[in-house]
Amino acid sequence: PIATRQQLDLMYGSLLGDASITENAFSVTHSIKQVEWVSWKQRALSGLCPNWFDSDTEYSHSDDPKFVCLNGQRRKARCLYVSQPQMAREMYSACIDAKTGKKRVTREWLDQVGDLGIVVWLLDDGSITNRAKKAGQIHLTGNIATHGFAREQTQLLVEWLSERMGAPCAMNTVGAINLSVALCRKLI
């Protein structure tokens, strides 16, 4: 099977968030609480023979020892994967640093991310909230977690997202991206 432009957009956007890639497969793991989100991704990737499985293991998004698995608690998760080696090799080449084996944000990667990919990234690792204090008012605020990327890669994401959407955003002191009110409005 050959991935459609929308399917590639979804996968490249999800790679900015929770997904991972090897030279053989694309995969994404979410808490079992997000089973509907995984099911949506599975339907969107139909035609590429997506598969899924549930796991009940110590759950962490990081190999970094400072991110302990919530005191060793076990968490149920659902993993969705697409095993299409030719497609996976191309995505791996665009998104993974050959020396470190870790994700690295590049213009080549970002050139593959369209509107759908941005929304998938936001839904994977971000949020937009109405912080208005009075009923009927709207005061949007938003952010996207980018802690898995080096500061210079997060800065590239900030510049790219601002340029792509025509609205500002900025990196905060912990390395996440804060979305301006204008950008929040465009994204919703």
Side-chain angles (χ1 to χ4, degrees), residues 42-58:
Q42 183 178 11
R43 287 189 304 275
L45 296 172
S46 66
L48 296 176
C49 307
N51 292 295
W52 62 269
F53 63 89
D54 289 339
S55 68
D56 183 14
T57 59
E58 288 189 0

Side-chain angles (χ1 to χ4, degrees), residues 6-119:
Q6 282 187 316
Q7 289 170 325
L8 289 170
D9 188 6
L10 181 157
M11 290 186 286
Y12 277 107
S14 197
L15 282 163
L16 288 170
D18 293 332
S20 61
I21 190 81
T22 67
E23 292 180 328
N24 295 311
F26 164 89
S27 66
V28 62
T29 301
H30 291 288
S31 163
I32 204 73
K33 294 176 184 176
Q34 295 177 299
V35 69
E36 291 301 321
W37 180 225
V38 177
S39 294
W40 180 87
K41 287 181 178 182
Q42 183 178 11
R43 287 189 304 275
L45 296 172
S46 66
L48 296 176
C49 307
N51 292 295
W52 62 269
F53 63 89
D54 289 339
S55 68
D56 183 14
T57 59
E58 288 189 0
Y59 184 67
S60 174
H61 285 292
S62 174
D63 294 331
D64 189 329
K66 71 182 177 190
F67 291 104
V68 190
C69 296
L70 296 172
N71 300 322
Q73 293 179 4
R74 299 179 75 75
R75 293 221 166 168
K76 290 188 177 186
R78 177 156 294 174
C79 180
L80 173 70
Y81 65 97
V82 175
S83 182
Q84 298 290 337
Q86 182 177 351
M87 175 199 71
R89 278 191 294 276
E90 290 175 23
M91 295 178 78
Y92 185 89
S93 173
C95 303
I96 302 296
D97 185 300
K99 292 178 185 172
T100 66
K102 296 183 184 238
K103 289 182 190 178
R104 123 198 131 263
V105 179
T106 64
R107 282 286 176 181
E108 177 187 6
W109 178 355
L110 297 176
D111 287 346
Q112 303 303 314
V113 181
D115 292 343
L116 176 61
I118 292 170
V119 170

